[in-house]
Amino acid sequence: MAEAFIVDAVRTPVGRRKGALSAVHPADLGAHVLRALVTRTGIDPGAVDDVYFGCVSQMGAQTGNIARTSWLSAGLPQHVPGTTIDRQCGSSQQAVHFAAQAVMSGAADLVVAGGVEVMSLVPIASPATVGEREGMGTPYDGEGWRTHFGDQEVSQFRGAELIAQKWDVSREDMERFALESHRRAVAAWSDGAFADEVVPAFGLEADEGPRADTSLEKMAGLKALSEGGRLTAAVSSQISDGAAALLVASEEAVRRHGLTPLARVHSMAVVGSDPIYMLTGPIPATEKILDRSGLSIDGIDLIEINEAFASVVLAWQREMGAAPERTNAFGGAIALGHPLGATGARLMTTLIHQLRRTGGRYGLQTMCEGGGMANATIVERV
């Protein structure tokens, strides 16, 4: 089968809610990483076959096919098309999958994959909440859904609480994990680990989320998100703004355009999981991709699993036996933030650059997704 290579990957710094990127139009933020990707790779943008962008809350400024509007807002050739993907939090990881699949099938030679989300402007779940307010119904009030799942609450917050209960993950466990996420992210910035992947954007030069001054004592003083629950804001991903983009190329395109790839896509998998627990998908997704790739979890040098909630990662670690020091070694969404539709591409960008920086060979990315799903990708440094 043909190979799919990742030539370069870039991301903006991740802005916190109401922070430095909150007033930037999402299409302009997407355009920023697209221009940076074209400049860094030196590719003729007119040779790009397609643009796949993830975006979850497709409402207001994020409607109108933001993959297309971002490309056009960047002043790039009008003949290049684009499409916007919603696989919930895994949207831009799915964009990478679709790009790789297009290249591997021979349907395309050069594809841009990425994502953007400005949650400060378009809050999480806006299409559902505004739709319900305007009398358009909700995703879970159909007869078929009620037949199979009843009227029980369906939310990521409930799913994360159920996971904490099922795997007996204590609040203290999660707070220690969250503190380490901040510590690792602060250390990564101090060590210059993100220098090759981040392009300053609109005056912001570094991620706004990591807190050097947080502590277990501060976390312990926070109110639980639900009565009697274990989750707090401290052990949850941050509401954020950001964008990321990668260039995926065929072997022929690499030769023809004189490109130097950073990695190749080794294996891909996607699974469905219980939609009420919702966030357990990374467990079967990891099992599936390890079986498909012939690799073991101990054979993976670096792992990026999205820190939607600390309970998600801790339950996954208990099931998979992954070494903590190789998992989210540079911090995760609890510290760095989670700009929904951009996070998959952000994680992949970090994974590829850190493999190159540390000399690792194989990297695994996986993330939980709304509706009970998960993507998993293994990349190999070249």
Side-chain angles (χ1 to χ4, degrees), residues 14-19 175-190 194 206-219 222 232-240 307 330-338:
V14 177
R16 68 172 55 179
R17 182 175 180 269
K18 303 303 180 184
E175 288 172 344
R176 284 190 291 269
F177 178 87
L179 183 65
E180 180 65 8
S181 181
H182 284 281
R183 189 198 68 77
R184 292 181 180 192
V186 170
W189 271 106
S190 178
F194 295 133
D207 299 313
E208 289 186 297
R211 295 182 174 94
D213 62 346
T214 193
S215 67
L216 292 177
E217 290 73 24
K218 289 181 179 180
M219 293 181 185
L222 295 178
T232 69
V235 302
S236 310
S237 55
Q238 297 186 39
I239 294 171
S240 309
E307 294 175 1
F330 309 93
I334 288 173
L336 294 168
H338 180 18

Side-chain angles (χ1 to χ4, degrees), residues 29 46 72 118 121 141 172 226 243 245 278-279 281 309 334 370 380:
L29 198 58
L72 295 177
V118 180
L121 177 65
D141 62 0
E172 292 73 22
S226 61
M278 191 178 290
L279 310 176
F309 298 90
I334 288 173
E380 181 180 12

Side-chain angles (χ1 to χ4, degrees), residues 92-108:
S92 54
Q93 185 176 7
Q94 185 61 57
V96 175
H97 281 205
F98 282 156
Q101 288 160 358
V103 166
M104 294 165 75
S105 70

Side-chain angles (χ1 to χ4, degrees), residues 99-333:
Q101 288 160 358
V103 166
M104 294 165 75
S105 70
D109 283 312
L110 284 173
V111 183
V112 171
V116 63
E117 199 95 23
V118 180
M119 298 177 74
S120 296
L121 177 65
V122 185
I124 186 172
S126 288
T129 56
V130 174
E132 183 177 11
R133 187 173 69 233
E134 296 299 316
M136 301 177 191
T138 74
Y140 309 116
D141 62 0
E143 182 178 342
W145 182 272
R146 290 196 304 272
T147 296
H148 292 95
F149 301 105
D151 295 323
Q152 61 186 308
E153 177 189 350
V154 182
S155 76
Q156 59 176 328
F157 303 104
R158 183 182 182 216
E161 282 283 3
L162 289 172
I163 289 168
Q165 294 168 19
K166 181 175 180 178
W167 275 270
D168 193 24
V169 179
S170 70
R171 174 169 170 169
E172 292 73 22
D173 290 337
M174 292 189 283
E175 288 172 344
R176 284 190 291 269
F177 178 87
L179 183 65
E180 180 65 8
S181 181
H182 284 281
R183 189 198 68 77
R184 292 181 180 192
V186 170
W189 271 106
S190 178
D191 295 343
F194 295 133
D196 289 338
E197 67 185 72
V198 171
V199 288
F202 302 93
L204 183 63
E205 296 189 355
D207 299 313
E208 289 186 297
R211 295 182 174 94
D213 62 346
T214 193
S215 67
L216 292 177
E217 290 73 24
K218 289 181 179 180
M219 293 181 185
L222 295 178
K223 183 179 179 181
L225 298 180
S226 61
E227 187 68 30
R230 306 180 188 190
L231 296 174
T232 69
V235 302
S236 310
S237 55
Q238 297 186 39
I239 294 171
S240 309
D241 311 318
L246 304 90
L247 180 63
V248 182
S250 68
E251 189 172 5
E252 169 59 27
V254 167
R255 285 196 300 266
R256 186 167 65 250
H257 297 282
L259 304 173
T260 302
L262 300 177
R264 76 177 182 96
V265 178
H266 184 282
S267 306
M268 296 173 284
V270 63
V271 302
S273 60
D274 188 316
I276 304 303
Y277 275 83
M278 191 178 290
L279 310 176
T280 59
I283 296 169
T286 301
E287 293 170 340
K288 183 174 183 178
I289 201 166
L290 291 176
D291 180 66
R292 179 170 290 176
S293 67
L295 298 170
S296 69
I297 195 69
D298 291 334
I300 304 296
D301 297 290
L302 289 176
I303 299 165
E304 289 288 331
I305 172 171
N306 192 37
E307 294 175 1
F309 298 90
S311 59
V312 172
V313 183
L314 290 171
W316 174 88
Q317 283 185 320
R318 291 182 185 182
E319 292 292 327
M320 302 311 307
E325 64 272 13
R326 291 186 285 113
T327 303
N328 297 357
F330 309 93

